[in-house]
Amino acid sequence: MNTLVIVLSLLAGAYLVAVLEAWLATGRFRLAAPAWAAVALLGRESIVPRTPDRIFFETAPVLLLIAALLAAAVLPLSPSMVMANLATGALFVNAALAYVLVALLMAGWGSDSAYALVGGWRFLGQVIAYSMLIVMPITAVAMRAESLLTTDIVSSQEAVWNILYQPIGFVLFFVASMAVAFLPPFDLPIAVGDLAGGVEAEYTGVRLAVFRLGRMVLVITLAAATTVFYLGGWMGPVLPPWAWSAIKILAVSAAMLLGGYTLPRIREAHLLAWCWKLGIPLALINLFIVGVMVLIWP
Amino acid sequence: MALISLQTVFIAFFGIAAIGFGIWVFRTSSMMRSALALLFSQTALGAMFLAMQAEFLGVLQIMMMATEMSIMAIFMVMFMMDPGGLGAMEMSHQKRLSILAGVAGALATAGIALFTQWGVVVTSAPAAAEQTRALGTELLGRSMLIFETAGVTILTAMIAATAVALPTLQRKRNA
Amino acid sequence: MNALQQYGLLLALICGVIGLVLILFALARAIGRTQQEPGKNVPATAGMLSRDPVWVRYHARYYGYALLFLAFDMEMAFMYPWAVVYKQTGLVALLDMGVFLAILFLGLLYGWSQGAFRRQ
Amino acid sequence: MTVERAHAGHARAQHGDMPFMSMVEVTEDLPRSRDGLPMEWVEVPFGPMFPGLPGGLLLTLTLDGDAVAKTRVRSVVGGGGVLPTAGLSATGFIAHLEAMDPLAPVAYRLLACRALEAAAGQVPDGEIRRRRIAVLERERIASHLGWLAMLGLQTGFAWLERHATRMQLECLRADLPRILQLRSTIQALTARLVRTPLLRSRLHGSGIVRPSSDLRGPVARAAGMRCDARIDDETYAALAFEMTERQGGDGFDRLHIRLDEMQQSLALIQSVGGFAEPASTAVGSASGAGHASLETPRGEAQLRLVLESGRVVQAQLDTATTYHMKLLPDLLDQQELGDALTTVCSLDLSPWEVTA
């Protein structure tokens, strides 16, 4: 029952993200826009390219959705609203998100199209860039919580939220999670201007609908992860815990989308260079600072 | 009792899945399929660890293999002939020798599994959170030297990989 | 809920997603089927039709990063258990991991100096 | 799309029973990349209908991974000929030239008018010349805004794409008060673009061109060349026109030049104070040869024509894009795909005006 409620609220969140994205793209706020778009996609033909790697082509959108949902499964919306409160929750988020890469590689390779292929391999480069900036800040969060349990991580922020306790980690994690969800300005694998849609280019109809749904859930999942790790999860005055979670998650996803709306796409060479030459040293400094702080002021 | 048997079912299921994906690695001529089949074989192994209640190990396996095998995939696509498998290239070499080596390896593993004195079998695994904690204590206590040696080993690997794979700056300037 | 039940739930979630996708596919199929028409199934190439497979030896320009990434990925395996017991172990843990990370940072600097951090 | 693969190497790669296969032998026929690795190249068409490129431009890139190894470029809409049939009437010729490039119709209409007037020996009065300039400058603003929208689409800068598109539509047919109202909006846009993080790093150093005789218009001016048909024009001189110039010659300089030119065009329009669409010229039954040159939004265009008893019998057009397209193979060589397409976009090509 609990699981069903959480899955449904995740889907509702994904829907709101889609509304927001359509709002930014068209300049008009229409609550029904994603619903109509979904109906249109279902009604449209779903074409398979002439010589695809059929297994990869069909699996990729489903795997993207599964990866996003599994990562969300360990993130709590309130002390009791969590699907599976794994003892290694913070690690499990990483593990599930790693399969976003696998899904995109499959989509890129599977359709045997040049645009998709370049998009898929580009995303591997992107993963090499951002991956450490997801993993290292999470370690710093776990240091403070003395646990990988996501609920423990939220409770550890009782006194001060992690966004204040480890601001460097927050910034790195926030930027990197935009890159995980390949949101602009990190939309290298699905760039419209460079690759005419990249890994998405060959998907039409219902397959595209599943792919898009997976991406929306992914955005919500990453916003939820940011909330749990840095914004004190469900904590907040007056309102019930789930409401605070919802507000924070939606605010974070709105910030992610808005940030990308006002920036041009980053160049892949720059992304790699900045992440390795600036991001990783910063993440290590963050680890060190948090390490010292945990010992003197928990 | 019912739970244990269900656990056994899952261990068997993921074990067979791991073997199945492992066989697929050699049955396909597409490098990409081969690499990702190996990836999912490793994922199935991770799931098997989970079914055996070794949570940290399982999740770590599932996480690491996804990125590492993907990187292996790009190197395979870079350096192997016909990575798409369009020429339906035969992927196996020196068949008789490999069969012999495979059978011998399997027998040896089975022998070790059967004839080793494993000691007392615990009835229940420690809680997952306990396992991670115990692993951390072990790393910082008794096995600290091993842990730091691992650091040096990784450093060596980094230097070796960089030195071997990258064209030297001098050659780059000439080119 | 014990750990095994949680894994079971995650597995059920995977099955649920597959089920949902199959329902969506069935729904789409009920609305209408794909018509086979010539030239329709050619991958997107901005208006051109003839094409050959693109599954060729792909030159990834980031392989310098990729090699160092593998090492960093390995190292993270040690970081998680360390982070969990960090507070209770205290200063020893800080120094311990400090040495470990410093060694790795050396590797990063070496790679940097050899030009691993650029498009090859 | 064709794949350059080594068939000989392939045949040898059937290595089921082969005891030893030398990679050196197998890969010896493959094309080499810059870092010496043998790879296979794929030929991929970008265009004629590609989202991030001007429609009608067919760019065939040979990709080595995600880098450009070879470039072929062709316009599938241009090259139709300046003169469809010899003996076209003056009105017909003006209409034909106006329709030739839908991206800068006014500029070509004006060019045709000027050339016909030169051939017929007519000189329109100063006020008309000034007001025609105002129309041309309005089109320049609209064209640069359209280019900004294209740049926004190409680089995934959604805000710029939306904003510039809306402003372009407003600007296209705006009357004088309206277009002067746009001034503050354009200033704000300029200020914002210069401050936008990532935009500089996106464009900086991409597609650096060195001064050469093949450069025209904003591309030339961004590379530090004094190349502008307007500086020799006395009507412009009377309006105190000063050319803008930058030295770097990369994409970011081209952006700057275009942003500055929009402001400058607004100032010109303001000092003229009215528009006059170039009307069709009554050449009567005049004969003669005429030459006109004009700074279109993309650079200088020159038109030579021969008039025989009021009919155009010969015409020759020389446009900026024709030259700029020749730059592409060298400019794009070894660039990453996204950077290469940004470079193409930053040149502001119009496939319609290609004459060759």
Side-chain angles (χ1 to χ4, degrees):
Chain A
M1 194 57 216
N2 206 359
T3 309
L4 196 65
V5 171
I6 299 171
V7 170
L8 287 180
S9 43
L10 275 177
L11 289 179
Y15 187 85
L16 288 178
V17 169
V19 170
L20 199 65
E21 205 173 36
W23 188 12
L24 282 174
T26 62
R28 277 178 299 158
F29 178 79
R30 290 190 306 151
L31 210 53
W36 288 120
V39 169
L41 278 180
L42 285 187
R44 219 165 279 164
E45 289 176 302
S46 193
I47 301 161
V48 180
R50 200 194 290 154
T51 52
D53 190 324
R54 193 68 194 256
I55 299 176
F56 284 7
F57 187 75
E58 301 287 5
T59 314
V62 191
L63 186 60
L64 182 66
L65 188 55
I66 289 177
L69 209 59
L70 281 190
V74 297
L75 297 170
L77 300 180
S78 79
S80 59
M81 272 176 82
V82 50
M83 284 190 247
N85 199 9
L86 287 189
T88 51
L91 182 61
F92 188 83
V93 172
N94 278 326
L97 290 180
Y99 286 81
V100 173
L101 163 68
V102 181
L104 258 62
L105 284 188
M106 282 179 155
W109 183 267
S111 52
D112 193 11
S113 128
Y115 299 160
L117 189 83
V118 175
W121 291 128
R122 260 187 183 188
F123 191 66
L124 180 57
Q126 190 165 322
V127 169
I128 290 171
Y130 74 66
S131 204
M132 282 301 130
L133 305 188
I134 288 281
V135 172
M136 288 185 177
I138 289 186
T139 316
V141 168
M143 274 161 78
R144 187 177 178 209
E146 289 188 89
S147 168
L148 294 172
L149 268 172
T150 42
T151 41
D152 282 0
I153 287 176
V154 175
S155 342
S156 76
Q157 303 173 53
E158 191 83 58
V160 185
W161 289 0
N162 272 337
I163 186 173
L164 299 173
Y165 196 86
Q166 29 191 308
I168 304 177
F170 168 75
V171 172
L172 293 176
F173 186 84
F174 182 78
V175 172
S177 52
M178 280 170 81
V180 180
F182 42 102
L183 284 172
F186 304 103
D187 56 341
L188 289 161
I190 55 160
V192 170
D194 290 356
L195 294 171
V199 292
E200 258 185 15
E202 294 311 320
Y203 286 97
T204 42
V206 61
R207 293 185 179 89
L208 183 61
V210 174
F211 200 100
R212 293 258 164 92
L213 176 66
R215 175 131 182 273
M216 291 304 148
V217 175
L218 186 61
V219 173
I220 275 291
T221 301
L222 286 159
T226 313
T227 308
V228 166
F229 293 147
Y230 290 96
L231 298 178
W234 61 75
M235 287 188 222
V238 188
L239 291 175
W242 61 266
W244 274 114
S245 284
I247 291 170
K248 287 175 189 173
I249 291 171
L250 288 178
V252 172
S253 34
M256 284 180 174
L257 290 175
L258 263 175
Y261 179 67
T262 54
L263 291 173
R265 189 178 309 116
I266 193 168
R267 282 155 89 164
E268 193 197 51
H270 288 179
L271 176 66
L272 279 159
W274 290 340
C275 280
W276 279 82
K277 294 176 182 171
L278 183 69
I280 290 185
L282 272 180
L284 289 174
I285 290 172
N286 176 55
L287 267 178
F288 181 74
I289 295 175
V290 173
V292 173
M293 270 174 74
V294 162
L295 293 183
I296 52 176
W297 180 56
Chain B
M1 197 60 209
L3 195 66
I4 291 173
S5 61
L6 196 61
Q7 192 177 5
T8 321
V9 168
F10 277 119
I11 293 174
F13 173 76
F14 287 117
I16 290 166
I19 294 172
F21 279 120
I23 291 173
W24 198 29
V25 171
F26 297 99
R27 299 297 299 169
T28 173
S29 45
S30 157
M31 292 303 150
M32 196 64 190
R33 280 193 176 191
S34 182
L36 290 200
L38 190 54
L39 192 163
F40 283 110
S41 171
Q42 301 291 334
T43 309
L45 271 184
M48 224 168 129
F49 286 141
L50 285 187
M52 289 191 275
Q53 287 180 285
E55 184 171 310
F56 182 79
L57 200 58
V59 176
L60 194 70
Q61 168 93 357
I62 290 173
M63 176 181 89
M64 303 251 297
M65 286 308 150
T67 40
E68 316 246 304
M69 291 296 146
S70 302
I71 288 172
M72 186 189 76
I74 185 65
F75 279 109
M76 279 168 79
V77 170
M78 269 175 91
F79 293 118
M80 302 295 272
M81 288 307 296
D82 189 18
L86 299 164
M89 195 163 83
E90 174 69 35
M91 292 264 287
S92 48
H93 301 262
Q94 295 139 311
K95 285 189 183 165
R96 188 167 303 161
L97 187 65
S98 353
I99 290 172
L100 278 176
V103 170
L107 284 179
T109 323
I112 291 170
L114 287 178
F115 296 115
T116 310
Q117 294 292 322
W118 292 105
V120 187
V121 179
V122 288
T123 45
S124 66
E130 261 329 291
Q131 294 173 20
T132 321
R133 198 165 282 278
L135 194 58
T137 323
E138 175 78 22
L139 272 185
L140 292 176
R142 209 160 51 123
S143 305
M144 196 201 286
L145 206 61
I146 298 174
F147 162 58
E148 296 294 351
T149 318
V152 179
T153 316
I154 293 174
L155 176 69
T156 320
M158 277 163 108
I159 292 176
T162 313
V164 170
L166 296 183
T168 58
L169 294 174
Q170 191 58 46
R171 220 177 87 200
K172 249 191 146 84
R173 270 188 216 111
N174 296 342
Chain C
M1 204 159 41
N2 73 24
L4 280 176
Q5 283 167 323
Q6 288 174 334
Y7 310 146
L9 183 86
L10 293 177
L11 194 63
L13 211 56
I14 295 177
C15 298
V17 170
I18 294 172
L20 173 80
V21 170
L22 288 180
I23 290 171
L24 280 178
F25 274 53
L27 202 65
R29 195 173 174 137
I31 295 174
R33 293 196 185 189
T34 307
Q35 291 197 335
Q36 296 299 326
E37 285 166 291
K40 204 190 215 175
N41 55 0
V42 178
T45 39
M48 311 293 277
L49 267 189
S50 87
R51 57 177 292 281
D52 284 339
V54 297
W55 290 334
V56 295
R57 301 173 59 150
Y58 184 90
H59 194 175
R61 305 298 177 125
Y62 45 73
Y63 59 84
Y65 292 99
L67 291 169
L68 291 185
F69 175 80
L70 286 178
F72 269 78
D73 209 29
M74 298 291 287
E75 156 244 333
M76 289 318 295
F78 297 103
M79 296 286 286
Y80 283 98
W82 168 79
V84 170
V85 295
Y86 175 77
K87 213 192 273 184
Q88 69 183 41
T89 317
L91 206 55
V92 176
L94 183 65
L95 293 175
D96 210 3
M97 191 48 81
V99 172
F100 185 71
L101 288 180
I103 294 174
L104 275 171
F105 200 70
L106 277 182
L108 190 136
L109 290 179
Y110 176 78
W112 195 339
S113 72
Q114 293 302 302
F117 293 168
R118 66 165 111 179
R119 268 172 77 78
Q120 300 298 328
Chain D
M1 250 187 278
T2 56
V3 179
E4 293 183 19
R5 52 168 75 247
H7 288 283
H10 251 267
R12 262 176 275 148
Q14 307 287 340
H15 58 282
D17 304 317
M18 270 168 59
F20 174 71
M21 174 181 62
S22 154
M23 279 310 272
V24 177
E25 216 174 287
V26 170
T27 59
E28 67 193 350
D29 306 327
L30 292 178
R32 297 278 157 164
S33 303
R34 198 179 40 175
D35 56 357
L37 294 178
M39 291 291 154
E40 287 165 300
W41 294 355
V42 193
E43 201 173 78
V44 188
F46 286 80
M49 289 175 285
F50 191 78
L53 293 174
L57 185 75
L58 173 55
L59 199 61
T60 312
L61 301 179
T62 304
L63 292 180
D64 167 27
D66 63 354
V68 177
K70 281 184 207 158
T71 308
R72 277 188 291 131
V73 62
R74 180 164 81 80
S75 162
V76 296
V77 288
V82 183
L83 200 56
T85 49
L88 204 62
S89 73
T91 329
F93 181 71
I94 292 174
H96 172 68
L97 215 60
E98 180 182 10
M100 191 193 80
D101 186 1
L103 299 181
V106 177
Y108 281 98
R109 188 180 173 87
L110 181 58
L111 184 68
C113 289
R114 281 191 184 174
L116 284 168
E117 282 157 10
Q122 301 170 346
V123 181
D125 73 66
E127 185 56 23
I128 290 202
R129 287 212 308 267
R130 279 148 49 86
R131 288 183 172 231
R132 280 176 170 183
I133 279 177
V135 180
L136 178 63
E137 294 303 323
R138 181 176 66 186
E139 188 181 72
R140 192 184 313 281
I141 300 173
S143 172
H144 285 355
L145 284 170
W147 174 76
L148 280 174
M150 171 69 88
L151 182 74
L153 176 66
Q154 209 287 313
T155 58
F157 189 175
W159 178 84
L160 177 63
E161 187 197 345
R162 246 186 73 198
H163 204 67
T165 308
R166 210 176 49 224
M167 282 171 71
Q168 186 198 13
L169 290 177
E170 266 186 49
C171 185
L172 267 176
R173 295 270 169 258
D175 53 6
L176 193 69
R178 184 74 201 93
I179 205 156
L180 292 179
Q181 277 171 18
L182 278 177
R183 179 161 219 166
S184 58
T185 330
I186 287 177
Q187 259 163 4
L189 178 74
T190 306
R192 174 154 185 180
L193 285 186
V194 173
R195 277 188 290 113
T196 300
L198 290 185
L199 188 61
R200 190 193 167 87
S201 65
R202 173 95 220 178
L203 294 172
H204 191 71
S206 80
I208 299 178
V209 288
R210 296 273 158 248
S212 83
S213 58
D214 279 345
L215 302 188
R216 297 284 185 281
V219 179
R221 294 194 282 280
M225 288 171 71
R226 284 189 66 74
C227 178
D228 194 327
R230 292 176 288 179
I231 42 178
D232 305 326
D233 189 310
E234 56 203 40
T235 323
Y236 274 103
L239 292 167
F241 171 78
E242 287 275 352
M243 202 191 83
T244 53
E245 197 181 341
R246 278 177 82 89
Q247 300 300 328
D250 64 9
F252 196 60
D253 290 303
R254 294 194 272 278
L255 170 73
H256 257 286
I257 287 282
R258 293 196 179 102
L259 288 173
D260 291 346
E261 281 189 6
M262 287 200 290
Q263 311 258 14
Q264 201 181 26
S265 297
L266 272 175
L268 286 170
I269 292 173
Q270 192 173 21
S271 54
V272 169
F275 296 119
E277 298 281 342
S280 111
T281 317
V283 288
S285 56
S287 295
H291 167 248
S293 80
L294 169 152
E295 187 75 11
T296 72
R298 287 169 188 81
E300 185 175 0
Q302 294 191 13
L303 179 63
R304 287 170 202 283
L305 55 79
V306 177
L307 207 57
E308 260 174 33
S309 55
R311 306 227 151 228
V312 184
V313 292
Q314 208 186 328
Q316 228 183 349
L317 184 65
D318 179 270
T319 59
T321 301
T322 316
Y323 293 99
H324 289 165
M325 277 195 2
K326 287 188 226 150
L327 299 171
L328 287 182
D330 284 339
L331 268 188
L332 304 193
D333 190 43
Q334 294 306 323
Q335 281 207 60
E336 193 261 337
L337 177 62
D339 296 353
L341 294 181
T342 308
T343 300
V344 176
C345 182
S346 76
L347 292 177
D348 193 14
L349 305 174
S350 164
W352 304 88
E353 64 174 26
V354 174
T355 52

